[in-house]
Amino acid sequence: MRMRLMLLGGGNALGQALIRLGAEEDIAFLAPRPPEHGWDPASLTLLLDEQRPDAVINLAYYFDWFQAEGVSEQRLEQQERAVERLAELCQHHEMILVQPSSYRVFDGSRATAYSEKDEPVPLGLRGQALWRIEQSVRATCPQHVLLRFGWLLDESLDGALGRFLTRAEQPQELLLADDRRGNPTPVDDAARVILSVLKQLDCQAPLWGTYHYAGNEATTPLALGQAILAEAGQWRKLAVQAPTAQAHAARPDASEEPQHAVLACKKILHTFGIKPRAWRAGLSPLLDRFYRHG
């Protein structure tokens, strides 16, 4: 790798997966420790003026965007301003910006898979913030790759998977939507995609733009929950053996979570040659890390 790569958010689950995968191929990342209050416009300006990497992978707000149950409007506004500044700095120093986004930019009103050509209409605060961030990155930093991911799964104790498994340890009804659809995407697979994109950008291929990536085989939260519980049973005896079906409309997050969140991944395949991997194959290593570290 000729490019100097800076990774913001090297301490979170996706950042760690990217560092692990890079080490296997002797690809190193500058992964600066964030200030105590997190990255903001001032600290990012100082960092990039000093370090001048060739590319910045911005996973600084990964947990809030992809794993947290909810994020305050004020916190999202702060993150929005920080990414706006980051895009300005990347444009000024002629750096590449790799910026994650999410299926949440769509409202889930169509039953067929969303492509990059579909117009985003976000429902909740997070989706709206991510859509505004996407627009500011496109407008400010021409050398960008925006990666919209599906339902990301990681091993963090307080992430979506961790919260589900913690609840499954108590004898209670575990309700999951059976009429909501999306693509589960293990964090290792998302890291593989980011690394593959970086390798081709390192060959000076100007493949800027927005791309979708999500694990192969769309499913429902109910079927995903069944698969997770079946796999988790190899590590721990859980109180809940199977989740209970519930309608999307009855779910507490129905007003902000798209009912249909399936992403079409043809563009990333045709441009970068990145093929979707089956999410089921990624469950075992994910749960292995969850139970070993947890």
Side-chain angles (χ1 to χ4, degrees):
M1 182 74 71
R2 288 167 296 188
M3 292 194 301
R4 287 180 74 236
L5 304 173
M6 175 171 283
L7 172 60
L8 301 177
N12 61 50
L14 181 51
Q16 287 290 295
L18 189 55
I19 289 168
R20 273 197 310 274
L21 208 58
E24 291 174 10
E25 302 189 38
D26 289 326
I27 296 171
F29 295 89
L30 291 164
R33 186 182 294 273
E36 194 176 335
H37 57 273
W39 294 111
D40 60 13
S43 56
L44 287 169
T45 302
L46 189 64
L47 176 73
L48 293 187
D49 282 351
E50 283 181 356
Q51 296 290 341
R52 306 286 178 94
D54 298 302
V56 179
I57 304 95
N58 180 28
L59 305 182
Y61 314 112
Y62 160 80
F63 186 85
D64 282 356
W65 293 353
F66 296 100
Q67 298 299 327
E69 270 193 289
V71 190
S72 72
E73 189 170 7
Q74 182 187 12
R75 194 172 168 91
L76 288 167
E77 283 173 1
Q78 291 168 349
Q79 294 170 355
E80 226 177 297
R81 287 196 296 273
V83 180
E84 281 174 18
R85 181 61 183 146
L86 180 62
E88 289 170 2
L89 290 161
C90 286
Q91 193 275 333
H92 177 72
H93 294 302
E94 297 185 342
M95 301 167 186
I96 294 165
L97 176 58
V98 178
Q99 174 70 35
S101 189
S102 163
Y103 67 90
R104 282 193 172 100
V105 299
F106 299 112
D107 65 2
S109 60
R110 56 177 289 172
T112 51
Y114 284 98
S115 82
E116 294 83 351
K117 292 178 182 176
D118 289 312
E119 185 65 29
V121 185
L123 293 174
L125 289 176
R126 251 185 298 198
Q128 290 161 10
L130 285 168
W131 175 226
R132 288 192 298 269
I133 285 168
E134 282 192 17
Q135 290 172 297
S136 74
V137 166
R138 283 190 200 96
T140 308
C141 178
Q143 295 189 105
H144 70 265
V145 173
L146 281 157
L147 287 170
R148 289 182 186 146
F149 287 111
W151 296 341
L152 283 173
L153 300 172
D154 71 30
E155 69 273 23
S156 55
L157 190 60
D158 49 354
L161 176 68
R163 292 192 301 271
F164 173 74
L165 289 169
T166 301
R167 288 201 300 271
E169 291 182 1
Q170 306 300 321
Q172 60 181 305
E173 195 174 40
L174 256 183
L175 297 167
L176 291 174
D178 63 346
D179 58 347
R180 187 183 280 181
R181 290 180 66 75
N183 307 80
T185 310
V187 74
D188 289 345
D189 196 23
R192 170 186 73 95
V193 171
I194 294 171
L195 200 63
S196 299
V197 166
L198 289 169
K199 283 184 194 169
Q200 295 197 43
L201 296 179
D202 192 49
C203 300
Q204 298 180 318
L207 305 171
W208 320 122
T210 303
Y211 299 90
H212 289 177
Y213 183 80
N216 196 26
E217 189 198 343
T219 190
T220 65
L222 183 73
L224 173 61
Q226 289 166 341
I228 290 168
L229 291 176
E231 195 73 43
Q234 299 177 40
W235 279 272
R236 190 164 300 182
K237 187 168 175 56
L238 298 171
V240 179
Q241 298 301 306
T244 304
Q246 186 181 37
H248 163 78
R251 297 292 298 154
D253 61 353
S255 63
E256 58 180 42
E257 189 68 23
Q259 181 173 7
H260 300 288
V262 178
L263 297 179
C265 304
K266 287 181 182 174
K267 184 180 175 186
I268 202 165
L269 171 63
H270 294 152
T271 308
F272 290 99
I274 296 170
K275 294 179 182 176
R277 283 190 181 167
W279 57 264
R280 290 177 189 272
L283 285 186
S284 182
L286 198 57
L287 288 165
D288 180 50
R289 282 203 306 273
F290 178 81
Y291 283 116
R292 276 193 294 117
H293 297 155

